[in-house]
Amino acid sequence: MTDLKSIWQYQKREVSNAPLVLFRMAFGILMTASVVRFMINGWVEEFYLTPSFHFSYYGFEWVQVLPKYGMHVLFALMLISAVGIALGLLYRISTTVFFLSFTYVELIDQTYYLNHYYFVSLIAFLLIWLPAGERFSVDAWWRGTVQKTCRFYEIATLRFQVAVLYCFAGIAKLNPDWLLKALPLKIWLPANSHIPIIGALLTKSWVAYFFSWFGALYDLTIPFFLSMRYTRWVAYCSVIVFHTLTALLFPIGMFPYVMILSTLIFFPSSQQEKWLSSIERKLSNELPLNSISTFSKAKVLLFVCFALVQLAMPWRYLAYPGSVFWHEQGYRFSWRVMLMEKMGQATFYISDGNRKMIVDNSLHLTPQQEKMMATQPDMILQYAHHLKNIYKQKGMNDPKVTVDAYVTLNGRRSRRFIEEQKDLSQLKEGWKHKDWVLSYE
């Protein structure tokens, strides 16, 4: 009991809020750049307005793409709120609007699921409840006072979320393909042989094994090395090198930069206080102090519940028999980052009595949607239901939907994926085990 009481008091203690303030600024700047990049590349049109059909998440079927003007307004709100987060302008409103708008867009279509989109949604949610806008912000300037402290558990909450991402990503790498066969890196790395200086090395088998083992060890240990005084700077240098390399070798967008800046949260409050105070002095941003930070049991309870959910979510794949890399049930939202090379081809058939026809997927899906759908059973099923509805509208009384699907995993020969004569139109969508997916073994 004494130890628990000591831990409780340690979490409640007041510290400088500089880590939260600097994290808020970095997050806001990165999200501003990300939204601008998304809009400039025309991805609002390509991903959301051009497709005639979108793959919904179970339970979030009500999240639908908005009309053209609505999607552009939504992204404009996202951009404005990201700028608001960076500046600390109407901070609570900005974080809430950004969380809701970003998460809404993320939930429109499973096709574009990425681990770092999920990470951004979680961080945005946490920032709503954290006092990261109390200092070095437009809000503080308007008030004419500044608060320079927060409770330690508020900083620890962000550290926890970063650590969860890394540790579960490391645990997911503890599988035979990754450790014993260096897959899929043995497939991916040679594609970068054109890179000057290091390109020739990337074709070597031992390099793929080195990267695989180092990647697993890095993910499993980096939160702990960042947390220790004597290893922190070396660990952070490895963060920069690791994520710079991943940005160079793989097209994974903003994720490396998000992680490089997010891991700064592990630096102690005293160190970050020096950084922020130096900036404030240079900008003559000294304001009178406000009252000390308040302690909220309700906020602590919220964070505890959040933490329990985050610790449980990655393990839900254990509820399903078979290989999670094959059937992908419980794969999303579990920090399985770049762990497999999976490709497939799915040919759908519609039959009604004596008629049977092949479906031209390009009439209903974009190339990216078709590529992702062909390897993921829940998307295959959702598409089959969509086809049933389309052909019923065309006059078929009771269309039967079957699929001839083959998938290859980590370079192995292609195998049949779905039961050949299974009428997918009669199957219910949901979290129940999909026993119509053929066994990988």
Side-chain angles (χ1 to χ4, degrees):
M1 290 295 292
T2 303
D3 290 341
L4 288 175
K5 187 175 181 181
S6 298
I7 294 173
W8 178 241
Q9 292 301 322
Y10 185 82
Q11 293 295 326
K12 286 174 59 178
R13 67 192 172 96
E14 278 196 281
V15 295
S16 166
N17 62 4
L20 295 182
V21 175
L22 291 172
F23 188 95
R24 179 209 87 216
M25 293 164 59
F27 182 80
I29 292 170
L30 270 178
M31 292 305 102
T32 299
S34 296
V35 177
V36 169
R37 172 174 172 263
F38 203 95
M39 296 169 74
I40 287 177
N41 285 327
W43 291 339
V44 179
E45 292 276 349
E46 181 182 344
F47 293 170
Y48 300 107
L49 297 176
T50 298
S52 59
F53 172 72
H54 294 280
F55 292 96
S56 302
Y57 288 86
Y58 295 151
F60 291 93
E61 291 82 3
W62 55 273
V63 179
Q64 296 291 317
V65 67
L66 303 177
K68 183 174 182 178
Y69 71 89
M71 289 303 298
H72 287 294
V73 168
L74 186 62
F75 271 86
L77 285 173
M78 197 188 306
L79 177 59
I80 292 169
S81 60
V83 173
I85 292 172
L87 298 177
L89 172 62
L90 301 175
Y91 172 72
R92 299 290 182 188
I93 296 175
S94 292
T95 50
T96 302
V97 169
F98 182 82
F99 166 71
L100 293 175
S101 58
F102 187 94
T103 305
Y104 187 95
V105 170
E106 183 184 1
L107 291 173
I108 289 175
D109 199 325
Q110 296 184 68
T111 302
Y112 313 113
Y113 170 82
L114 291 173
N115 283 287
H116 72 272
Y117 288 170
Y118 177 44
F119 179 72
V120 166
S121 282
L122 295 176
I123 293 298
F125 174 77
L126 290 176
L127 285 175
I128 295 172
W129 313 102
L130 297 175
E134 301 298 319
R135 180 181 178 187
F136 205 73
S137 64
V138 175
D139 290 351
W141 179 73
W142 277 349
R143 288 195 309 265
T145 59
V146 63
Q147 182 175 297
K148 291 193 172 185
T149 62
C150 66
R151 301 290 176 167
F152 180 75
Y153 73 85
E154 294 172 317
I155 297 172
T157 300
L158 290 176
R159 292 180 180 177
F160 166 82
Q161 185 55 65
V162 175
V164 162
L165 186 160
Y166 274 124
C167 289
F168 278 109
I171 292 170
K173 288 180 173 66
L174 303 181
N175 69 78
D177 272 10
W178 186 271
L179 296 178
L180 303 182
K181 299 181 181 179
L183 291 171
L185 292 184
K186 195 183 288 185
I187 299 172
W188 292 341
L189 291 179
N192 294 287
S193 60
H194 62 281
I195 296 177
I197 302 176
I198 66 170
L201 281 175
L202 299 178
T203 62
K204 307 295 184 182
S205 180
W206 70 265
V207 174
Y209 278 97
F210 173 79
F211 278 18
S212 293
W213 279 81
F214 178 79
L217 290 172
Y218 169 86
D219 285 342
L220 289 169
T221 61
I222 197 64
F224 304 100
F225 287 132
L226 286 168
S227 300
M228 294 187 288
R229 176 184 175 186
Y230 297 106
T231 57
R232 185 174 293 117
W233 275 107
V234 174
Y236 189 68
C237 287
S238 73
V239 168
I240 295 174
V241 172
F242 180 85
H243 286 294
T244 300
L245 271 175
T246 57
L248 177 66
L249 297 175
F250 308 112
I252 52 177
M254 298 294 289
F255 181 67
Y257 313 107
V258 170
M259 297 315 299
I260 287 172
L261 290 177
S262 294
T263 45
L264 285 171
I265 196 67
F266 285 93
F267 281 84
S269 298
S270 56
Q271 178 68 62
Q272 300 204 45
E273 175 62 35
K274 293 177 183 178
W275 298 341
L276 186 55
S277 294
S278 174
I279 299 173
E280 288 174 330
R281 284 193 297 270
K282 289 178 181 178
L283 297 178
S284 300
N285 193 40
E286 293 289 343
L287 293 172
L289 289 176
N290 199 355
S291 58
I292 63 173
S293 63
T294 57
F295 176 71
S296 170
K297 291 184 179 179
K299 188 188 291 186
V300 171
L301 180 61
L302 172 67
F303 290 158
V304 168
C305 293
F306 176 89
L308 292 175
V309 171
Q310 287 305 303
L311 290 174
M313 283 282 284
W315 298 107
R316 69 194 195 284
Y317 78 96
L318 295 173
Y320 303 100
S323 169
V324 66
F325 295 104
W326 184 249
H327 59 61
E328 296 197 40
Q329 295 172 100
Y331 189 93
R332 300 187 195 96
F333 311 110
S334 61
W335 310 117
R336 299 177 183 277
V337 184
M338 299 182 65
L339 288 179
M340 63 180 180
E341 171 71 10
K342 194 176 183 185
M343 299 180 66
Q345 182 174 348
T347 303
F348 286 80
Y349 297 90
I350 304 292
S351 58
D352 180 17
N354 295 322
R355 292 183 296 171
K356 185 175 183 178
M357 62 189 75
I358 297 178
V359 176
D360 183 355
N361 292 332
S362 66
L363 297 177
H364 311 285
L365 304 175
T366 65
Q368 179 68 5
Q369 286 180 314
E370 184 175 4
K371 174 185 175 182
M372 299 303 292
M373 175 274 298
T375 64
Q376 300 179 58
D378 57 344
M379 295 176 71
I380 287 176
L381 181 58
Q382 198 173 140
Y383 182 52
H385 285 198
H386 176 64
L387 291 176
K388 178 182 179 179
N389 292 334
I390 287 177
Y391 281 88
K392 283 182 72 174
Q393 293 172 6
K394 290 183 177 182
M396 281 192 172
N397 293 324
D398 188 21
K400 177 181 178 182
V401 183
T402 57
V403 64
D404 197 19
Y406 285 85
V407 169
T408 175
L409 177 61
N410 285 342
R412 296 176 179 86
R413 68 178 182 83
S414 184
R415 302 183 187 183
R416 186 175 291 279
F417 192 42
I418 307 295
E419 289 184 21
E420 188 174 4
Q421 297 302 320
K422 196 73 172 180
D423 183 3
L424 300 178
S425 68
Q426 300 302 315
L427 301 177
K428 291 184 178 180
E429 297 183 60
W431 288 283
K432 185 179 177 182
H433 173 54
K434 296 173 176 57
D435 55 7
W436 40 271
V437 179
L438 296 176
S439 173
Y440 177 67
E441 292 76 17

